[in-house]
Amino acid sequence: MGTRAVAASIAAIACGLVGCSNTPGTEADPNSPEADPNSPETAEQPVTEELFVGECGSMDNTEVQRLTAVSDLTVVSENAVRCRWESATGAYAMFTWYRGSPIDRERSVAEAVGRTIERIDVDGHPGFTAAASGASCEAGVENGDGFLHWSVNYVIDGPRDSCDVVEDLARTTMSKAK
């Protein structure tokens, strides 16, 4: 059985155990803030539809090479939720799909370590970029109750702005999501 088949089997078993569905959950408690669309708690929480993202953010080597402008980036590890591409120059790109994890925690960690945070919007899905330097940046984009995360590190200044690259990678992934 191939790596992708094993990953698909694991994902199917996990969905069966925790209950995956495209349909909304049960009716909200009428006394909860979520039940009142005018509640400040509800108004502050952007709600984005969770879209299915394929393995590696639905990206292949050619697309990652084109968007990063690093011609020898190749996938060195891949599974249902994380993939990493590496180059002989030391540059890398990494995709991670965090399901059931709040994006604000990732943004807070990036901010706490001194990264420069910028808010972005990818087709109605709020997110952020976090720059460590011109050579390194990450992007997180909300996807339902989780988020998608791309990071790029050129090691030295790369052929493109790293924050532009991770935003382009996130946009491409979201455009392919179903």
Side-chain angles (χ1 to χ4, degrees):
M1 186 181 278
T3 303
R4 289 182 187 219
V6 170
S9 296
I10 291 169
I13 291 168
C15 282
L17 293 174
V18 298
C20 295
S21 172
N22 288 335
T23 58
T26 59
E27 226 175 279
D29 175 356
N31 297 319
S32 74
E34 293 83 16
D36 179 4
N38 298 315
S39 165
E41 291 88 357
T42 303
E44 293 174 17
Q45 299 295 323
V47 177
T48 60
E49 174 186 9
E50 182 171 64
L51 301 172
F52 176 76
V53 178
E55 189 171 295
C56 296
S58 297
M59 303 285 266
D60 61 25
N61 289 343
T62 303
E63 289 172 300
V64 173
Q65 291 166 358
R66 180 179 55 80
L67 290 169
T68 61
V70 177
S71 62
D72 70 334
L73 273 177
T74 55
V75 72
V76 294
S77 66
E78 61 184 293
N79 61 45
V81 295
R82 179 175 289 141
C83 294
R84 183 179 172 103
W85 292 260
E86 293 181 0
S87 165
T89 65
Y92 72 84
M94 189 164 61
F95 168 80
T96 309
W97 185 5
Y98 292 92
R99 299 191 71 192
S101 182
I103 192 172
D104 289 335
R105 180 176 30 204
E106 185 73 17
R107 182 179 19 246
S108 295
V109 168
E111 195 167 35
V113 297
R115 293 186 178 221
T116 303
I117 308 297
E118 297 289 331
R119 295 199 182 279
I120 61 173
D121 182 274
V122 176
D123 300 326
H125 293 260
F128 70 94
T129 59
S133 68
S136 178
C137 194
E138 62 184 279
V141 177
E142 191 172 308
N143 184 31
D145 69 348
F147 65 98
L148 309 176
H149 185 266
W150 275 98
S151 61
V152 167
N153 189 331
Y154 285 114
V155 182
I156 57 170
D157 285 340
R160 293 190 60 212
D161 177 82
S162 58
C163 286
D164 288 345
V165 170
V166 291
E167 192 170 345
D168 287 348
L169 289 163
R171 285 186 187 289
T172 302
T173 294
M174 292 303 288
S175 74
K176 294 178 173 197
K178 298 174 177 40

